[in-house]
Structure formats: C-alpha cells, structure tokens
Amino acid sequence: MNFTADEAALGTEEEKKAWNELFRYFTNFAGTSKPTKTWLNSISPFVETIDNERFGTIMEMIVLEVNDDKSWFSGLKSKMLKGLLWAGSLAPSPKVYAAIGKVVNRAYTKVRGKGATSASVGNAGINALVAINTKEAMQELIMLKNKSQYPVFVKALNKGIQLLSAEIKVTEDDVLDQLMPGFGIKDGTLEQAFGDYTAQLYLESAHKTLIEWVKPDGKVQKSVPAEVKRTYELELKAFKETAKDIKKTLQSQRHRLESAWRHQRVWDYDHWLKYLWLHPLGAYVVHKTIWQFDTPEGDRQSAIGKDGTLVDVENKSVKVPSHAEVSLWHPVNAPLEEVLAWRDYMFDQELKQPFKQAFREVYLVTEAERITNVYSNRFSAHILQQNKLWALTQQRDWQYKGAYGYMLDSPTIQLPAYDLEVTLDVSFGGDSYEYVTTQRTLFTNPTIDLEYAVDEVPKLAFSETMRDIDLFIAVCSIGSDPNWDGSEDYKDYWFEYSYGDKSETVSAQNRREILERVIPRLKIADRCSFEGNFLVVQGKLRTYKINIGSANILMKPNDQYLCIVPDRAAEAKGSKIFLPFEGDSILSLILSKAFLLADDANIEDELILSQL
C-alpha cells in the first residue's frame, strides 16, 4: 500500500489537508531515532488540526497495514514510519500508545543472522513514547518488555523505562498497577458493534477468551459473519488484536503477581483495593489468589475471593482493616495446618488458581546444605538440553552473564529486594554445547561481592529460586524426554532420572500429593495405586508404573520400558481433569497416560501394541 490513509477515514477537508502535509513531512523525517526540533515544530500545527482520538484511529489503521509489510522497516519507507511515530507523540491517546507499541515490537522482531528487523525504527518508537512523558507511555514500554525475551530489545526498553521513570517519578510496579488496561470490559464481557452485528468477547478464565456474534435477529453464532468480514475488514482486525491484547494482559498480570514474591512486594490496602481487587480484569487473576493481610498491631489473616468478596480458609467472610498491608500469601511462611487447609479448600471449591500457590512446592535448607555452607549441591549432576534451558530461564527472568556471554555461561537471577544473586553453575559437554551438566548453586550478595551461607538466605527467596532450578531440571533434563537417544555416556543418567533416585524431587513429592487427591475422583481410581515414586496402573494386558517425576513408564513384572507419545485425544482427557492450578504439564501427562493404560485392551496404536 502507499503510505496514506483511506480517503473516507480521513474525515473533513481540513483533516485531509493536514494528513497530506504530514505525509510529506514523514518522507523528509530529519533524524535517526529522534527528529530535530525544527522538524517536530513544523509538523505540530498539522497534528493539532486533528482530534487526538481521530489521529489514533487513523494511525491504528495505518499500522495494521504497515506491520504486515517488512519493506517499511528499511530505506526511505522507514523514515516515513519514524515520522508517523513521532507525530503520534504529539497526539497521545490509548490507540496511539498501542499503535506505537506494535511498531516497536515489530521493529525489534529478531531476524536470524541479522538481529532486530530495524533497531532504528524500534528506537524511534521507544523515544517517541518517552517524549510523551506520561504513565500511560511508560506502561506501554513495560508491557513490551514483559512480552519480550530478546535481550537487545529488553535493554533498549529498560533504558527508555528508566529515563521516563526518573522524569515522572513513578516506579514500574506502580504504573502497572494503576494503568492496567480494562479494554472496556464490563462484568467479564467486551462488546463492539459492527453495523447490525455485535461481537461479544467473554472471559472464561485467566487464560481463555470466547467470541460470539449476535445477529440482527438476536440469535448467536460462533463464526464471523460474512458481512462483517466484507464491510469491516480493518475494524475486525483491530478487534481481534484487542482480544489478543486482553489475553496477553492477563498473562502479564499473572506473571507479575507470581513475581511479587521475588520483589518482596507489599501493597497498602487502599492501593490494592483500587488497582487490583476492583479492576475489571481482576476477578480472573486477583480474586483466585490467596492474599495475606498484616496490621501494625501484629494481626495476620489470609483470604481469597469468592463471589466478589473475601473469605478465609473456612469460607467465612473476611473484613480487612483499611490500614492493613497486603502481600501475596506463600506456603513457606505459613503453618503446615494452614497450608493443608488451603489445599483442601481448592478441591472443595474446585477452584483453579491462575498459578500454583496453595500447592506451591516449598524448599527448605537441608543438613547437607548446612555442611557445604556457602553453596548447595542439591541440583548438581543433572544433564540438561541447553536450548530448552536457555528458553526456560529467559521465561523465568534468569539471565546469562560472564566471559562468554549469550548462552555459554551459567544462568543467574538478580533479586535486589533481598540483596541477592543466585547462580546455577553449569559445565558444557561436547563441541556442539548441546548439553550442560549442573554443578553448585551459589548465593551471593552482589553489593559487596560476598557469598551467603545458605542459612542466611531469606527463606522465601531460597524456596523460590530452588523451585525455579527444580523446574529447569524437570523440563530440560534428558531424562524427561522418553524418546531421547543421545550419547552413550549419558545413558546411566537418563535411566536414573527417568526411574531412579534423581526423579524423587520436591516437585515430584508435591505432584504425588496432588495425585492422591485427584485419583479417587476418577473412574479409573480402582485400577490405580502408589508405589514409591510411581503411579501404578492395572490394565487388562499389563501392569504399568508411571514415574511421578518424569512421567516415563515401566511395565511389570520385569520393568520393561514402555515408550508412549500420547495423542491429542489422550492429552485432552488429561487436561480436562480438575487440577487446582495451571501450568504442570507433567501432571497432565501422567493423568492422560493413566487413562490410556487403564484401558489398554482398546489401544489401537501399533507402536504401543508392539511393546505390550
């Protein structure tokens, strides 16, 4: 397309003339990622001619088209795109923020062998948002950072966030609380008219949205009406983008709340009530989370949302004093009886939490760690697939630093709230660096470059970082891959992790406790039992032992290995079983395999049958 907007969309003759002048200036954008003051002053009168909301609508339409064409991120066209971004900085509105953010994200999309698609365009967008000098602009930068795993992009965004934070004197966390978008959602529904049709977007959970279309006669259909596709192409595209943004915002909120433990985040009650509890999206994350309320007098209580109110673990209404401090409840800081009570509550109410909280694994310092004193060997001698480890550590906010840089170093996480840096030492095997072997876990005070004794590490910080490392091993270990067929040197480790002592981790123990609660509710309960770290399933053809740590299978009586890659139907059955949290794929896999093997007489897969 040409860099113009649809004639009908441009509005009045005065607006059309203003846009024509702007397009001319865009072609002559003066600067690399920032324009000259003269250029910016020259376009200002034309931007002022156009209403901010109207400007945002046209900019949104242009960006939707431009982002699909990579030619706009190089040469003369990239100058025009930078001009549009900076023009947007003079007409701030929610649509302008979002449009600039989409261009920045597209510009920093990584191209294999090259790097960012166009760092110059991306930086122009970041600088334009900084120049707007508002909390809303800072929020857009933060949201972009939370979605990205590209270090170069994150570094550029952090620079912009720091500049803007210093200018407007507001922290990242405060901005995200205060300005989390509501998208016009009311009572869990977003509506938008498309002529005689109405789109209705429903929030089914913190992870799933549903869109239905109300026809002129009031009837409802799932598919997009042909007339809407034909007449409202760009508006429909924008609506679908909004639906994606809603899901991403919920994901971001979930991740941010879970990260609150790492930041020792504490809210005052009024702030928490206004910006978290009463937010239109809050019910789908905040209301399903257990909160802890502490008063200066020393009173403490924990509560969760139910039907819009707070209730305690006994399902009784809770009244919180307005002077209370609010934090995210964690089982490591609670008495065992309270932890068990909250776990019972989740099953009694069939409440699925947006992340694992009531059933969160707890890692306490062991006697062996007190002996080693300044490091832990708890997770040493595991062999992990490096590409998986790299991806997962990035998701969990761990970084790589050191002499080699990118990937060829040990993963490290910084926890400034605790004055703590945690490093999982790894060594690399083979010329391809395909695998790493885990070594010690170190705890350091980065301010004075001094190692902590493990007993000196704050209990919650220790538990959360050790949980991360346990997760890295569960997901990335070669022993978690039933089809692994690598170096002969690693065969003994693969078997030990798949079926032996190395599979008996805290996460596996936690998983067993959940299975002991779930299995009695299932129709296959009479065919299931537990034997050490195995779920034993009695089929008609054989008896099967599913390892609770790795989900790999042995068959009785001779412990013959059984390789199964569940089909989608089996996986779907496992995922439909009620679990009190999201995110444990191994647990869902164990359940899907249990259903399959309990009905082994009806298995039709030739590969599985040949092994039986």
Side-chain angles (χ1 to χ4, degrees):
M1 70 172 254
N2 293 322
F3 200 77
T4 58
D6 180 80
E7 280 291 315
L10 290 176
T12 66
E13 286 300 318
E14 189 178 15
E15 282 188 17
K16 290 176 184 177
K17 289 179 181 179
W19 275 109
N20 285 334
E21 287 299 313
L22 285 172
F23 292 142
R24 184 171 64 83
Y25 273 99
F26 295 164
T27 306
N28 297 289
F29 179 76
T32 304
S33 59
K34 291 183 179 179
T36 63
K37 288 185 178 179
T38 301
W39 185 92
L40 206 55
N41 289 334
S42 298
I43 69 166
S44 182
F46 303 113
V47 175
E48 291 173 359
T49 301
I50 307 164
D51 175 77
N52 279 18
E53 186 63 29
R54 291 276 301 150
F55 190 99
T57 299
I58 302 302
M59 187 173 179
E60 179 183 59
M61 294 169 65
I62 294 172
V63 165
L64 283 172
E65 293 295 304
V66 164
N67 267 3
D68 289 336
D69 184 352
K70 65 180 181 181
S71 69
W72 285 102
F73 293 86
S74 62
L76 175 62
K77 286 185 174 181
S78 71
K79 292 180 64 176
M80 297 173 68
L81 192 49
K82 293 174 193 176
L84 176 68
L85 298 175
W86 275 95
S89 75
L90 301 177
S93 73
K95 289 183 177 179
V96 167
Y97 296 129
I100 295 177
K102 284 181 172 62
V103 173
V104 171
N105 190 61
R106 177 68 177 84
Y108 264 106
T109 299
K110 189 177 180 182
V111 178
R112 185 185 294 271
K114 176 187 173 183
T117 298
S118 176
S120 177
V121 171
N123 290 338
I126 292 172
N127 290 331
L129 286 169
V130 171
I132 294 174
N133 204 33
T134 63
K135 289 188 290 187
E136 289 80 4
M138 185 170 165
Q139 178 195 38
E140 187 65 38
L141 292 171
I142 296 168
M143 289 175 65
L144 287 168
K145 185 182 79 169
N146 289 343
K147 296 172 189 175
S148 177
Q149 296 176 21
Y150 183 23
V152 175
F153 189 17
V154 172
K155 184 177 180 180
L157 290 166
N158 274 332
K159 183 179 178 181
I161 290 167
Q162 289 164 9
L163 286 171
L164 193 45
S165 178
E167 191 69 29
I168 63 178
K169 296 178 174 56
V170 179
T171 67
E172 282 189 47
D173 282 332
D174 286 341
V175 166
L176 288 172
D177 284 349
Q178 296 172 21
L179 297 179
M180 188 172 81
F183 299 99
I185 289 174
K186 294 182 180 179
D187 299 323
T189 304
L190 173 65
E191 290 191 356
Q192 181 171 327
F194 291 80
D196 294 332
Y197 294 85
T198 301
Q200 294 183 333
L201 182 148
Y202 301 98
L203 299 175
E204 292 191 330
S205 70
H207 308 275
K208 188 176 180 181
T209 59
L210 172 68
I211 298 177
E212 293 181 339
W213 292 87
V214 181
K215 299 190 289 186
D217 60 5
K219 294 181 179 178
V220 176
Q221 68 181 57
K222 295 288 180 68
S223 60
V224 181
E227 182 181 333
V228 172
K229 289 182 181 178
R230 184 174 58 253
T231 310
Y232 301 95
E233 180 182 357
L234 289 180
E235 290 88 342
L236 176 61
K237 191 173 183 178
F239 183 76
K240 288 181 177 180
E241 285 294 316
T242 298
K244 291 179 182 177
D245 286 341
I246 289 171
K247 291 179 70 173
K248 289 176 181 176
T249 300
L250 285 169
Q251 287 178 333
S252 175
Q253 174 75 329
R254 180 184 61 165
H255 177 74
R256 193 164 66 89
L257 285 183
E258 191 175 11
S259 297
W261 287 312
R262 297 179 177 181
H263 303 308
Q264 282 195 299
R265 186 88 195 274
V266 177
W267 295 262
D268 69 68
Y269 178 72
D270 288 340
H271 179 102
W272 174 84
L273 182 69
K274 180 178 180 180
Y275 295 116
L276 276 75
W277 181 260
L278 295 177
H279 192 277
L281 295 183
Y284 300 90
V285 179
V286 176
H287 289 204
K288 296 180 181 180
T289 304
I290 306 169
W291 296 93
Q292 181 172 300
F293 303 93
D294 294 276
T295 67
E297 296 79 23
D299 296 325
R300 171 175 290 186
Q301 56 185 335
S302 56
I304 199 167
K306 184 178 182 182
D307 300 327
T309 63
L310 282 166
V311 297
D312 63 16
V313 72
E314 296 178 350
N315 212 21
K316 297 177 181 177
S317 180
V318 168
K319 184 173 178 60
V320 179
S322 60
H323 64 293
E325 289 187 333
V326 187
S327 58
L328 201 62
W329 178 90
H330 194 290
V332 78
N333 292 325
L336 179 59
E337 57 271 19
E338 182 181 349
V339 175
L340 295 176
W342 274 119
R343 292 180 177 183
D344 289 339
Y345 180 93
M346 297 304 153
F347 274 95
D348 292 343
Q349 301 293 320
E350 291 203 348
L351 176 63
K352 184 186 288 288
Q353 293 195 279
F355 53 87
K356 190 183 286 188
Q357 186 187 23
F359 282 89
R360 201 170 190 83
E361 300 85 352
V362 170
Y363 299 77
L364 302 176
V365 176
T366 64
E367 283 304 315
E369 287 164 335
R370 291 189 177 95
I371 293 171
T372 55
N373 191 25
V374 294
Y375 62 87
S376 168
N377 275 327
R378 186 186 305 204
F379 295 116
S380 63
H382 285 276
I383 300 166
L384 314 183
Q385 298 177 70
Q386 167 63 358
N387 59 339
K388 285 187 177 180
L389 179 64
W390 166 256
L392 185 56
T393 50
Q394 297 293 292
Q395 290 177 21
R396 299 296 298 173
D397 299 325
W398 289 60
Q399 301 171 342
Y400 288 72
K401 66 176 188 176
Y404 297 102
Y406 181 76
M407 286 182 70
L408 302 183
D409 290 301
S410 297
T412 297
I413 188 167
Q414 300 268 356
L415 300 176
Y418 300 92
D419 216 0
L420 177 66
E421 178 180 280
V422 183
T423 301
L424 173 64
D425 273 347
V426 298
S427 60
F428 296 82
D431 295 335
S432 66
Y433 300 107
E434 185 177 358
Y435 303 109
V436 299
T437 302
T438 58
Q439 310 287 339
R440 305 178 302 174
T441 303
L442 301 168
F443 303 87
T444 309
N445 183 326
T447 304
I448 56 177
D449 194 24
L450 182 69
E451 292 177 334
Y452 283 110
V454 289
D455 263 340
E456 296 175 337
V457 179
K459 189 164 57 172
L460 195 153
F462 181 87
S463 185
E464 281 299 294
T465 51
M466 296 301 269
R467 180 182 184 271
D468 269 359
I469 297 171
D470 200 356
L471 175 66
F472 300 157
I473 292 166
V475 174
C476 308
S477 170
I478 62 173
S480 64
D481 182 357
N483 297 311
W484 184 80
D485 187 24
S487 169
E488 194 67 30
D489 296 339
Y490 300 151
K491 287 291 186 183
D492 288 345
Y493 168 81
W494 181 87
F495 192 85
E496 185 67 15
Y497 184 86
S498 295
Y499 307 108
D501 291 342
K502 284 190 179 296
S503 68
E504 297 183 23
T505 62
V506 172
S507 59
Q509 295 165 9
N510 178 271
R511 202 172 287 132
R512 171 166 175 160
E513 179 189 343
I514 297 163
L515 285 169
E516 287 173 338
R517 292 171 179 265
V518 171
I519 293 296
R521 298 165 171 250
L522 306 179
K523 66 179 182 180
I524 62 171
D526 60 339
R527 281 161 277 173
C528 296
S529 60
F530 292 91
E531 185 178 297
N533 199 36
F534 292 90
L535 172 63
V536 180
V537 180
Q538 179 65 57
K540 290 185 178 180
L541 305 179
R542 298 286 292 267
T543 300
Y544 310 91
K545 296 163 57 179
I546 306 174
N547 187 276
I548 298 173
S550 65
N552 290 339
I553 306 166
L554 296 176
M555 295 185 287
K556 288 188 174 185
N558 59 345
D559 281 351
Q560 176 189 342
Y561 169 59
L562 173 62
C563 178
I564 290 181
V565 179
D567 59 23
R568 290 186 177 180
E571 288 181 350
K573 182 174 288 188
S575 65
K576 288 181 180 178
I577 298 167
F578 169 74
L579 295 174
F581 51 82
E582 298 281 355
D584 192 336
S585 58
I586 294 177
L587 184 56
S588 296
L589 184 59
I590 289 170
L591 288 167
S592 67
K593 287 182 175 181
F595 270 97
L596 179 70
L597 297 173
D599 191 27
D600 59 356
N602 291 315
I603 292 175
E604 297 179 353
D605 189 297
E606 292 297 330
L607 180 60
I608 299 175
L609 291 174
S610 67
Q611 298 176 80
L612 300 182

